[in-house]
């Protein structure tokens, strides 16, 4: 027997309920809500749903980055809700990042009805295709109507939005929803145009109540791009015939989904696998043969000049991060380069690749490994001089980093704390299972060069889509929220420079309100360290005035007064503060102060030492 449909006070309440109900049936768990009147029907529907974690964040810009962090950690779509007018404009930076990184968000913007547009009504802004090409899909939702036909449309629309956000080309989608007053769940008299007729649900109960098995109204099974057999055979032949194959794993928040398959392929080929910390591959350190971590040092040495350039390069994730690796890649114009990425745009700013495999990485790597196994009739490739050379360089780079940092501190015991020491300490001291959110510019490059090889797994997160430094703290808050909900005991650390913190200072107040097990580690070198490495540094007047943040204000004054605030000025005080946090991981801010000029000189010295030690390990070219 079909149950009687519930009564609803007005169509706005029913309309919003149907939309939210379908999103939840599809798998939505989280929504970040910023207050505003026009979005009231959506807010009420989300707040009343028992299976939704509704997070209230006043500032839309913060809310969007928190949603981004939640989605990065959960790998599932997260919804955003805001009112009409300029509210949605504050979503823009996070939408751009989500679009470029393939992070699924469902953006629900409330709007005035059409009759209030172009008529002088307050807070009426044209929100049609507001985010342009930065969303995977935009739909101007129809005005609510109390008909079964329109409710079926709305339920199917919600399912389509969730599916489009989820993939295969994952990213943000935008639904713009107009609402007439009354916006609250106010009962309307029968016969009112926005009243829900008592008989609406009897003729088509699924339109009002959804499918009886609690399944989505419209199911769209996920599609996985799989290469055709001919292409797989061709790529497998290229790999098998390469004498000096090389695999580069670049930044990819999805890298953990195919890490094991990438390891297996590298072992079958006997190929060096160099993985950036942001690749998602390095967190699988429990495997017998972890990837090579010191790509910056290896490519900065004369290894390739002595051993020859690779004759085939397989790349996953983003283009190489370190400057040394990027220079090497640019020099491989005659090398067969294969990009494995499901993204529409090939990660190839130098336009040197010969293949862009737009396919599911894990399934593609597994298929290639099977072909190589059948072709060679062996489980893995023997150790080769080519692979041995990279492994020797890796070991020497690791030894060099450790010894050079020790020599520096022994020679200058009173020198200020340095950025390489900060990152090296993080690698050594963070407990297993910790999450590290890294800011862009110098921090993400320093972690690649100086953290070293961790033996304990560490989750690394980042916003590398458009390389921005805004919203780093708020994104980290989303990560910490998702991790707390998932039951993770290890802490979350946000590591960013003082310039990036200035772009997201208001998020510190939100962090204090949420009281998460979170450490905001601020690398304060009076700003703009990356510009010391760029040609603008040769123009000191402009460099100092417009590219640095020297002596403008003490950033510690910007933290909320109740924040637990610590300062580190030496390796000992840094280690003490990190250990104290791991034992008592409430919300804290740790300011690690260094000298920008000392950092610059030490970076150069460490790279030179590593290159020298690597070069001394080779007496001639490989046979």
């Amino acid at each position: 027997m079909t149950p009687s449909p519930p009564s609803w006070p007005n169509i706005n309440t029913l309309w919003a309920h149907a939309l939210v109900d379908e999103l939840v049936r599809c798998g939505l768990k989280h929504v970040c809500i910023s207050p505003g009147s026009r979005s009231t029907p959506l807010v009420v529907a989300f707040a009343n749903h028992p299976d939704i974690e509704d997070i209230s964040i006043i500032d839309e810009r913060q809310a969007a980055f928190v949603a981004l962090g939640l989605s990065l950690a959960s790998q599932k779509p997260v919804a955003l809700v805001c009112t009409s007018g300029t509210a949605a404009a504050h979503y823009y930076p996070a939408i751009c990042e989500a679009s470029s990184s393939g992070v699924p968000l469902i953006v629900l913007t409330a709007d005035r009805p059409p009759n209030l547009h172009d008529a002088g009504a307050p807070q009426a802004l044209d929100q049609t295709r507001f985010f342009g090409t930065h969303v995977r899909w935009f739909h101007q939702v129809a005005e609510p109507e109390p008909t079964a036909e329109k409710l079926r449309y709305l339920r199917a629309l919600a399912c389509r939005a969730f599916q489009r956000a989820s993939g295969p080309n994952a990213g943000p989608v935008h639904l713009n929803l107009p609402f007439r007053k009354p916006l609250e769940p106010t009962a309307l008299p029968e016969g009112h145009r926005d009243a829900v007729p008592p008989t609406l649900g009897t003729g088509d109960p699924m339109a009002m109540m959804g499918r009886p098995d609690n399944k989505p109204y419209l199911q769209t099974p996920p599609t996985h791009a799989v290469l055709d057999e001919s292409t797989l055979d061709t790529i497998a032949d290229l790999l098998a015939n390469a004498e000096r194959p090389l695999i580069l794993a670049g930044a990819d928040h999805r890298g953990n989904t195919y890490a094991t398959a990438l390891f297996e392929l590298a072992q079958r080929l006997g190929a060096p696998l160099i993985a950036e910390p942001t690749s998602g591959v390095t967190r699988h350190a429990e495997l017998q043969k972890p990837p090579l971590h010191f790509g910056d040092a290896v490519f900065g040495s004369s290894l390739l000049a002595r051993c020859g350039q690779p004759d085939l390069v397989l790349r996953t994730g983003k283009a190489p991060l370190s400057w040394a690796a990027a220079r090497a890649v640019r020099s491989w114009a005659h090398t067969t380069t294969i990009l494995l990425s499901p993204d529409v745009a090939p990660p190839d700013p130098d336009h040197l690749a010969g293949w862009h495999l737009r396919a599911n990485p894990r399934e593609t790597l597994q298929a290639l490994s099977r072909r190589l196994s059948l072709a060679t009739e062996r489980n893995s490739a023997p150790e080769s001089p080519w692979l041995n050379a990279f492994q020797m360089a890796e070991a020497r780079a690791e030894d060099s980093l450790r010894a050079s940092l020790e020599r520096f501190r022994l020679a200058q015991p009173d020198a200020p704390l340095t950025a390489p020491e900060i990152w090296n300490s993080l690698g050594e001291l963070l407990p297993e299972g910790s999450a590290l959110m890294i800011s862009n510019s110098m921090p993400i490059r320093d972690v690649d060069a100086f953290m070293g090889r961790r033996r304990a797994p560490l989750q690394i997160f980042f916003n590398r889509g458009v390389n921005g430094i805004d919203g780093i703290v708020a994104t980290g808050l989303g990560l910490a929220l998702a991790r707390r909900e998932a039951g993770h005991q290890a802490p979350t650390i946000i590591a960013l420079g003082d310039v990036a913190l200035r772009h997201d200072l208001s998020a510190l107040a939100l962090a204090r309100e949420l009281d998460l097990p979170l450490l905001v580690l601020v690398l304060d070198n009076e700003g703009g360290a990356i510009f010391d490495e760029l040609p603008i540094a040769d123009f000191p007047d402009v460099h100092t005035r417009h590219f640095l943040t020297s002596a403008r204000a003490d950033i510690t004054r910007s933290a909320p007064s109740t924040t637990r605030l610590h300062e580190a000025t030496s390796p000992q005080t840094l280690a003490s503060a990190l250990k104290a946090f791991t034992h008592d991981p409430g919300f804290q801010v740790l300011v690690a102060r260094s000298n920008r000029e000392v950092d610059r000189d030490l970076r150069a010295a460490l790279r030179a030492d590593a290159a020298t030690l690597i070069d001394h390990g080779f007496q001639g070219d490989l046979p």
Side-chain angles (χ1 to χ4, degrees):
M1 179 178 179
T2 302
S4 301
S7 59
W8 295 95
N10 58 55
I11 184 54
N12 282 343
T13 306
L14 172 58
W15 193 258
H17 164 79
L19 179 76
V20 171
D21 180 50
E22 284 301 328
L23 290 174
V24 172
R25 288 170 182 241
C26 289
L28 188 73
K29 299 292 185 184
H30 297 92
V31 60
C32 294
I33 297 172
S34 297
S37 176
R38 192 60 56 166
S39 55
T40 297
L42 294 170
V43 174
V44 171
F46 276 116
N48 287 340
H49 201 291
D51 297 326
I52 279 287
E53 180 71 22
D54 53 317
I55 305 161
S56 184
I57 303 174
I58 293 175
D59 182 86
E60 288 86 4
R61 182 175 173 278
Q62 288 180 17
F65 278 109
V66 169
L68 185 74
L70 281 164
S71 184
L72 279 171
S74 66
Q75 298 289 295
K76 294 183 181 298
V78 174
L80 282 163
V81 171
C82 71
T83 190
S84 62
T86 60
H90 298 283
Y91 285 165
Y92 219 103
I95 297 299
C96 292
E97 174 62 31
S99 178
S100 186
S101 291
V103 179
L105 298 176
I106 300 174
V107 185
L108 306 174
T109 56
D111 200 358
R112 260 60 176 168
N115 59 290
L116 293 183
H117 282 268
D118 296 322
Q123 210 168 318
L125 182 71
D126 185 0
Q127 297 172 196
T128 305
R129 303 192 183 279
F130 196 67
F131 302 108
T133 59
H134 302 295
V135 292
R136 300 293 185 265
W137 183 47
F138 167 80
H139 186 83
Q140 176 59 52
V141 182
E143 288 188 79
E145 289 184 23
T147 66
E149 177 187 14
K150 283 299 178 68
L151 286 170
R152 292 196 302 269
Y153 146 80
L154 183 67
R155 287 185 177 275
L157 178 68
C159 298
R160 292 171 62 196
F162 192 93
Q163 186 276 328
R164 292 290 291 270
S166 302
N169 183 27
V173 300
H174 176 203
L175 302 182
N176 192 52
L177 296 107
F179 290 106
R180 298 184 297 270
K181 292 184 177 181
L183 304 169
E184 299 74 22
T186 304
L188 297 176
E190 188 174 343
H192 191 285
R193 68 168 185 171
D194 289 331
V196 179
T199 58
L200 176 59
T202 56
D204 190 350
M206 283 193 298
M208 178 179 285
M209 302 170 63
R211 297 198 182 276
D213 54 4
N214 206 34
K215 297 292 186 182
Y217 190 83
L218 174 65
Q219 297 189 63
T220 307
T223 58
H224 295 286
V226 179
L227 296 176
D228 61 88
E229 298 296 317
S230 175
T231 300
L232 285 169
D233 289 339
T234 300
I235 299 300
D237 286 342
L238 289 172
L239 294 171
N241 292 321
E243 296 181 358
R244 297 185 301 278
L246 177 64
I247 300 177
L248 300 179
D252 191 351
H253 65 84
R254 302 159 294 194
N256 63 307
T257 64
Y258 58 80
T260 302
L262 191 62
F263 275 107
E264 181 181 349
L265 182 66
Q267 289 178 321
R268 292 193 185 282
L269 288 174
L273 166 56
I274 299 181
E276 295 179 358
T278 52
S279 64
V281 173
T282 57
R283 72 183 64 177
H284 291 254
E286 69 276 7
L287 295 178
Q288 290 184 347
K289 291 188 177 181
L292 308 180
H293 292 67
F294 289 90
D296 184 71
V298 170
F299 288 121
S301 72
S302 63
L303 174 68
L304 295 181
R306 293 171 179 268
C307 302
Q309 292 188 351
D311 57 1
L312 181 142
V313 176
L314 173 64
R315 283 178 34 208
T316 63
K318 299 279 187 183
L321 170 66
S322 82
W323 288 312
R327 283 194 299 269
V329 168
R330 284 195 294 272
S331 70
W332 298 337
H334 302 293
T335 295
T336 299
T337 299
I338 302 170
L339 309 175
L340 176 54
S341 169
D343 297 334
V344 174
D348 183 29
D350 300 305
H351 309 289
L352 294 176
W355 292 84
H356 177 201
L357 309 181
R358 281 199 62 208
N360 180 283
R362 182 176 61 84
E363 295 178 7
T364 302
L365 292 165
Q366 290 173 341
L368 291 172
S369 287
R370 287 193 295 270
R371 279 166 169 75
L372 289 172
S373 178
L374 292 172
T376 59
E377 296 183 353
R378 51 184 164 83
N379 292 327
S380 62
E383 297 294 323
S384 67
W386 170 254
L387 176 59
N388 290 338
F390 277 85
Q391 291 173 336
M392 181 186 297
E394 168 87 354
R396 286 178 171 267
E398 186 172 15
D399 292 343
S400 175
L401 176 63
R402 185 184 306 109
S404 296
L405 285 176
E406 289 177 357
R407 282 198 305 272
F408 168 79
R409 188 48 59 183
L410 286 172
Q412 304 183 52
D414 297 326
L417 185 65
T418 67
E421 289 174 312
I422 293 170
W423 289 107
N424 199 251
S425 295
L426 282 173
E428 292 179 352
L429 298 175
L430 292 183
E432 179 176 343
S434 297
L436 179 61
M437 175 73 194
I438 310 173
S439 182
N440 282 310
S441 293
M442 285 310 298
I444 202 165
R445 288 175 168 84
D446 280 350
V447 73
D448 181 48
F450 306 124
M451 178 171 278
R453 180 188 294 172
R454 273 182 59 90
R455 271 66 182 178
L458 172 70
Q459 288 189 302
I460 294 180
F461 297 92
F462 49 90
N463 285 346
R464 282 301 289 175
V466 287
N467 299 357
I469 61 170
D470 50 346
I472 301 298
V473 176
T475 305
L477 296 183
L479 294 172
L481 279 169
R483 285 170 54 81
R484 182 173 67 180
E485 184 176 305
H488 289 285
Q489 299 300 313
T492 301
I493 299 92
I494 303 171
L496 74 171
D498 52 308
V499 176
L501 180 62
R502 291 176 189 276
H503 282 274
D504 207 20
L505 275 173
S506 59
L508 290 180
L510 178 60
R512 185 68 190 89
E513 292 173 13
L514 296 172
D515 194 25
L516 296 163
L518 175 72
L519 176 67
V520 178
L521 173 59
V522 186
L523 289 77
D524 185 5
N525 55 11
E526 295 190 334
I530 196 169
F531 296 108
D532 290 341
E533 310 286 340
L534 301 179
I536 191 61
D538 296 332
F539 302 88
D541 291 343
V542 176
H543 177 235
T544 301
R545 178 172 174 79
H546 291 291
F547 292 88
L548 305 180
T549 59
S550 303
R552 295 183 179 177
D554 185 348
I555 57 174
T556 61
R557 298 176 184 174
S558 303
S561 59
T562 55
T563 301
R564 284 190 283 173
L565 188 64
H566 310 281
E567 185 171 337
T569 57
S570 68
Q572 294 75 22
T573 56
L574 175 65
S576 177
L578 288 175
K579 290 176 181 177
F581 169 70
T582 59
H583 288 99
D584 183 19
F587 171 61
Q588 302 174 43
V589 175
L590 171 59
V591 181
R593 301 192 189 278
S594 69
N595 180 286
R596 201 175 60 255
E597 294 181 358
V598 174
D599 286 348
R600 180 190 60 204
D601 293 343
L602 182 58
R603 287 189 188 98
L606 292 173
R607 290 188 171 102
D609 290 347
T612 299
L613 192 59
I614 291 172
D615 294 343
H616 284 173
F618 300 97
Q619 302 303 317
D621 294 344
L622 286 179

Short mmCIF file of all heavy atoms in Angstrom, two decimals, residues 467-491:
data_model
loop_
_atom_site.label_atom_id
_atom_site.label_comp_id
_atom_site.label_asym_id
_atom_site.label_seq_id
_atom_site.Cartn_x
_atom_site.Cartn_y
_atom_site.Cartn_z
N ASN A 467 47.21 27.39 -8.66
CA ASN A 467 48.42 27.82 -7.93
C ASN A 467 48.19 29.04 -7.04
O ASN A 467 49.13 29.79 -6.77
CB ASN A 467 49.56 28.12 -8.90
CG ASN A 467 49.96 26.91 -9.72
OD1 ASN A 467 49.43 25.82 -9.53
ND2 ASN A 467 50.89 27.09 -10.63
N GLY A 468 46.97 29.25 -6.58
CA GLY A 468 46.69 30.42 -5.76
C GLY A 468 47.11 30.23 -4.32
O GLY A 468 47.27 29.11 -3.84
N ILE A 469 47.30 31.35 -3.62
CA ILE A 469 47.64 31.27 -2.20
C ILE A 469 46.51 31.81 -1.33
O ILE A 469 46.70 32.01 -0.13
CB ILE A 469 48.95 32.03 -1.88
CG1 ILE A 469 48.82 33.52 -2.22
CG2 ILE A 469 50.12 31.41 -2.60
CD1 ILE A 469 49.99 34.35 -1.71
N ASP A 470 45.34 32.02 -1.92
CA ASP A 470 44.21 32.46 -1.11
C ASP A 470 43.39 31.26 -0.65
O ASP A 470 43.34 30.23 -1.31
CB ASP A 470 43.32 33.44 -1.89
CG ASP A 470 42.95 32.92 -3.28
OD1 ASP A 470 43.58 31.96 -3.74
OD2 ASP A 470 42.05 33.48 -3.91
N GLY A 471 42.80 31.39 0.53
CA GLY A 471 41.92 30.35 1.03
C GLY A 471 42.62 29.11 1.57
O GLY A 471 41.98 28.08 1.77
N ILE A 472 43.92 29.21 1.86
CA ILE A 472 44.66 28.03 2.31
C ILE A 472 44.17 27.57 3.69
O ILE A 472 43.95 26.38 3.93
CB ILE A 472 46.17 28.31 2.34
CG1 ILE A 472 46.67 28.71 0.96
CG2 ILE A 472 46.92 27.09 2.86
CD1 ILE A 472 46.49 27.66 -0.10
N VAL A 473 43.99 28.51 4.62
CA VAL A 473 43.53 28.14 5.96
C VAL A 473 42.12 27.56 5.89
O VAL A 473 41.84 26.51 6.50
CB VAL A 473 43.57 29.36 6.90
CG1 VAL A 473 42.99 28.98 8.28
CG2 VAL A 473 44.99 29.86 7.07
N ALA A 474 41.23 28.20 5.15
CA ALA A 474 39.86 27.72 5.07
C ALA A 474 39.79 26.33 4.44
O ALA A 474 39.02 25.47 4.87
CB ALA A 474 39.00 28.70 4.27
N THR A 475 40.60 26.09 3.40
CA THR A 475 40.63 24.75 2.81
C THR A 475 41.09 23.73 3.84
O THR A 475 40.53 22.62 3.95
CB THR A 475 41.57 24.71 1.59
OG1 THR A 475 41.18 25.71 0.65
CG2 THR A 475 41.54 23.36 0.92
N GLY A 476 42.11 24.09 4.63
CA GLY A 476 42.58 23.19 5.69
C GLY A 476 41.51 22.92 6.74
O GLY A 476 41.45 21.81 7.30
N LEU A 477 40.67 23.92 7.02
CA LEU A 477 39.57 23.69 7.96
C LEU A 477 38.61 22.62 7.43
O LEU A 477 38.13 21.77 8.19
CB LEU A 477 38.81 24.99 8.20
CG LEU A 477 39.57 26.14 8.86
CD1 LEU A 477 38.64 27.32 9.09
CD2 LEU A 477 40.21 25.70 10.15
N GLY A 478 38.33 22.68 6.13
CA GLY A 478 37.48 21.65 5.54
C GLY A 478 38.10 20.26 5.66
O GLY A 478 37.41 19.28 5.95
N LEU A 479 39.41 20.18 5.43
CA LEU A 479 40.11 18.91 5.60
C LEU A 479 39.97 18.38 7.02
O LEU A 479 39.66 17.21 7.25
CB LEU A 479 41.59 19.08 5.28
CG LEU A 479 41.99 19.42 3.85
CD1 LEU A 479 43.47 19.75 3.78
CD2 LEU A 479 41.67 18.26 2.92
N ALA A 480 40.22 19.28 7.99
CA ALA A 480 40.16 18.88 9.39
C ALA A 480 38.75 18.44 9.79
O ALA A 480 38.57 17.48 10.55
CB ALA A 480 40.65 20.01 10.28
N LEU A 481 37.74 19.13 9.28
CA LEU A 481 36.36 18.75 9.57
C LEU A 481 36.06 17.34 9.05
O LEU A 481 35.49 16.50 9.75
CB LEU A 481 35.39 19.74 8.92
CG LEU A 481 35.13 21.04 9.66
CD1 LEU A 481 34.38 22.02 8.76
CD2 LEU A 481 34.31 20.78 10.93
N ALA A 482 36.45 17.08 7.79
CA ALA A 482 36.19 15.78 7.19
C ALA A 482 36.95 14.68 7.93
O ALA A 482 36.43 13.58 8.14
CB ALA A 482 36.58 15.79 5.72
N ARG A 483 38.18 14.97 8.33
CA ARG A 483 38.98 13.96 9.02
C ARG A 483 38.41 13.66 10.41
O ARG A 483 38.40 12.51 10.85
CB ARG A 483 40.44 14.42 9.11
CG ARG A 483 41.18 14.30 7.79
CD ARG A 483 42.53 14.99 7.85
NE ARG A 483 43.35 14.54 8.96
CZ ARG A 483 44.08 13.42 8.97
NH1 ARG A 483 44.08 12.62 7.90
NH2 ARG A 483 44.82 13.09 10.02
N ARG A 484 37.96 14.70 11.11
CA ARG A 484 37.36 14.47 12.42
C ARG A 484 36.10 13.61 12.29
O ARG A 484 35.88 12.69 13.09
CB ARG A 484 37.04 15.80 13.10
CG ARG A 484 36.46 15.62 14.51
CD ARG A 484 36.32 16.94 15.22
NE ARG A 484 35.31 17.81 14.62
CZ ARG A 484 35.01 19.02 15.07
NH1 ARG A 484 35.64 19.52 16.12
NH2 ARG A 484 34.10 19.77 14.47
N GLU A 485 35.29 13.92 11.29
CA GLU A 485 34.07 13.15 11.09
C GLU A 485 34.37 11.70 10.73
O GLU A 485 33.63 10.78 11.12
CB GLU A 485 33.23 13.79 9.99
CG GLU A 485 31.89 13.13 9.76
CD GLU A 485 31.06 13.87 8.74
OE1 GLU A 485 30.84 15.08 8.92
OE2 GLU A 485 30.64 13.23 7.77
N ALA A 486 35.47 11.48 9.99
CA ALA A 486 35.84 10.12 9.60
C ALA A 486 36.54 9.35 10.71
O ALA A 486 36.86 8.17 10.54
CB ALA A 486 36.73 10.17 8.36
N GLY A 487 36.81 10.02 11.83
CA GLY A 487 37.41 9.33 12.96
C GLY A 487 38.92 9.29 12.98
O GLY A 487 39.51 8.52 13.74
N HIS A 488 39.58 10.10 12.14
CA HIS A 488 41.04 10.13 12.15
C HIS A 488 41.54 10.72 13.47
O HIS A 488 41.08 11.76 13.91
CB HIS A 488 41.57 10.96 10.98
CG HIS A 488 41.37 10.33 9.65
ND1 HIS A 488 42.15 9.28 9.20
CD2 HIS A 488 40.49 10.59 8.64
CE1 HIS A 488 41.75 8.93 8.00
NE2 HIS A 488 40.74 9.70 7.63
N GLN A 489 42.52 10.05 14.06
CA GLN A 489 43.09 10.52 15.32
C GLN A 489 44.30 11.41 15.11
O GLN A 489 44.58 12.29 15.92
CB GLN A 489 43.48 9.31 16.19
CG GLN A 489 42.32 8.42 16.56
CD GLN A 489 41.24 9.16 17.34
OE1 GLN A 489 41.54 9.89 18.28
NE2 GLN A 489 39.98 8.98 16.94
N ALA A 490 45.04 11.19 14.03
CA ALA A 490 46.24 12.00 13.77
C ALA A 490 45.83 13.42 13.40
O ALA A 490 44.77 13.65 12.80
CB ALA A 490 47.07 11.37 12.65
N PRO A 491 46.65 14.41 13.74
CA PRO A 491 46.26 15.80 13.55
C PRO A 491 46.38 16.28 12.11
O PRO A 491 46.95 15.61 11.24
CB PRO A 491 47.26 16.56 14.45
CG PRO A 491 48.47 15.68 14.46
CD PRO A 491 47.95 14.27 14.42
#
